[in-house]
Amino acid sequence: MLISLLRERAPEEARVALVPDAVAKLAAAGHRVLVEPGAGDQAGFGDAEYVQAGAELAADAPGRADLLAAVRPPAREAVARLRRGAATVSFLPAAQSLELVRRLAAGGIASFALELVPRISRAQSMDALSSQSLVAGYRCAIVAADLLPRMFPLNMTAAGTLQPAQVLVLGAGVAGLQAIATCRRLGAVVRAYDVRAASAEEIRSVGGRPVELELATLEGAGGYAREMTAERARRQQELLTPYVAAADVLITTAAVPGRRAPQLVTAEAVRQMKAGSVVVDLAAESGGNVEG
C-alpha cells in the first residue's frame, strides 16, 4: 500500500499524523510511505528522520496515495488530488464538514473518521480522542498557571502567607480529570463538576473535590453524558455561578463529538469572577462552554 503523510495546513496545528517510529513499522510491514516535505517540522520531526525511518519525500504525495494520513480533515486542494478508490484517515467531524464529506463521497474516496471509532476495549489502541484529550487536559492546566498573575500552591513565608489558587473544572472526562490532576500537582485547590453520577468518585481519585448541585445525573451511552433539557441547563448555570465567581481559574472541557458544545457558564457568571482570573475553554472549537 502507498501511504501518504500530509503536512498540516491549519494555523497553529503542531501535530503530525505519523511519527518516524510509526513510519518505520509501516515500512517494515511492506508498505511504501510518502512524506510531504516539512510534514513533521512543527512536531519536532525533520524530513531526514522520516527518510531514515524508510519513507520517501514527495511533494506530490497526495496524488499518488492509496491512503492519505492527516490529523485534521484534509484541505480541499489535497482532496482534489486524490484518485478515485483512495482513502483518508484523520479527524473528520462530519456535522461541521459536510461539504468536505460530500466532496470525498463524490470522488469515490473512503474516509475514516478517528473520532467515530467506538470507545470499546478492542478499539482502545485507536482511541485518538482519549489520547488527545489527555494532552489537552494537561496543557490547559499549564496554560492557566502561566496566565494567572499569582502562584498555584500555598506558600508560607516570613513576609506572609499566600493562599493556594482556587480552580474549578467543569467536565470530568479524560481531559477534565487530567486537568484536575495537573492543577493539584501544581498545588491548587481544585473543585470539579460533571453531570454523570460516577464522576464524583473519579474526581476524588485525582485529588479534586466534587461539586454537588443536587440535580439529577445524566448518564449516557459510551461514557458520554446525555443531552439536558433547556430548563435543567438554566438551573445548572444558576447553581454553578457562585462556584465560578469564587474561582481564580475556570477550566471547561464538556464536549459532545459531532455536536455543539453545551453552554455551562453565562456571561453574567464570568463578570462575577475576580479581576485577573483565567478561563480556559477546551470546547471553544465546537462553540464553547463559556458564553462570550
Side-chain angles (χ1 to χ4, degrees):
M1 180 183 291
L2 193 59
I3 301 170
S4 172
L5 175 60
L6 191 66
R7 178 171 59 83
E8 300 295 323
R9 263 70 175 179
E12 300 185 8
E13 178 55 76
R15 294 172 293 181
V16 64
L18 292 171
V19 299
D21 281 351
V23 169
K25 292 176 183 177
L26 290 168
H31 301 295
R32 190 177 169 197
V33 182
L34 302 181
V35 174
E36 192 174 6
D41 285 353
Q42 293 300 309
F45 301 107
D47 290 343
E49 293 181 75
Y50 284 102
V51 172
Q52 188 175 0
E56 306 168 40
L57 298 180
D60 62 343
R64 299 163 59 188
D66 298 312
L67 179 68
L68 179 68
V71 176
R72 295 192 181 238
R76 179 182 301 182
E77 56 269 24
V79 171
R81 292 159 64 188
L82 289 170
R83 59 173 180 78
R84 181 171 291 273
T88 67
V89 174
S90 68
F91 285 113
L92 184 61
Q96 289 84 38
S97 311
L98 285 176
E99 181 186 351
L100 175 59
V101 171
R102 293 190 183 105
R103 189 182 298 273
L104 289 164
I109 299 162
S111 304
F112 296 93
L114 289 175
E115 60 265 69
L116 297 182
V117 174
R119 302 182 92 175
I120 57 176
S121 297
R122 284 185 298 147
Q124 281 185 340
S125 63
M126 295 181 284
D127 189 352
L129 277 180
S130 289
S131 71
Q132 298 308 286
S133 294
L134 184 79
V135 175
Y138 168 79
R139 182 65 185 169
C140 75
I142 301 300
V143 167
D146 179 49
L147 292 174
L148 188 69
R150 57 173 294 177
M151 291 186 283
F152 265 32
L154 169 71
N155 278 279
M156 302 178 71
T157 73
T161 299
L162 294 173
Q163 296 299 324
Q166 302 292 316
V167 176
L168 177 64
V169 177
L170 300 182
V174 174
L177 291 173
Q178 183 60 218
I180 296 166
T182 304
C183 289
R184 283 290 297 124
R185 285 194 291 268
L186 291 172
V189 173
V190 187
R191 292 182 178 272
Y193 175 74
D194 193 285
V195 297
R196 295 165 298 149
S199 65
E201 189 57 40
E202 294 170 350
I203 290 168
R204 291 189 188 95
S205 73
V206 291
R209 302 176 184 176
V211 171
E212 306 286 353
L213 296 186
E214 298 182 358
L215 291 171
T217 58
L218 297 174
E219 300 287 352
Y224 294 107
R226 285 190 291 113
E227 189 171 8
M228 68 182 72
T229 64
E231 175 57 29
R232 189 196 189 282
R234 184 194 62 78
R235 181 61 178 151
Q236 179 177 286
Q237 289 172 346
E238 290 178 354
L239 294 172
L240 283 173
T241 295
Y243 293 97
V244 172
D248 298 302
V249 170
L250 170 64
I251 294 173
T252 66
T253 70
V256 182
R259 304 183 69 172
R260 193 192 186 288
Q263 189 177 102
L264 306 178
V265 180
T266 63
E268 176 56 33
V270 174
R271 280 192 287 271
Q272 293 185 36
M273 296 180 76
K274 298 183 289 290
S277 298
V278 174
V279 177
V280 183
D281 188 344
L282 282 187
E285 200 169 44
S286 57
N289 299 139
V290 182
E291 185 179 7

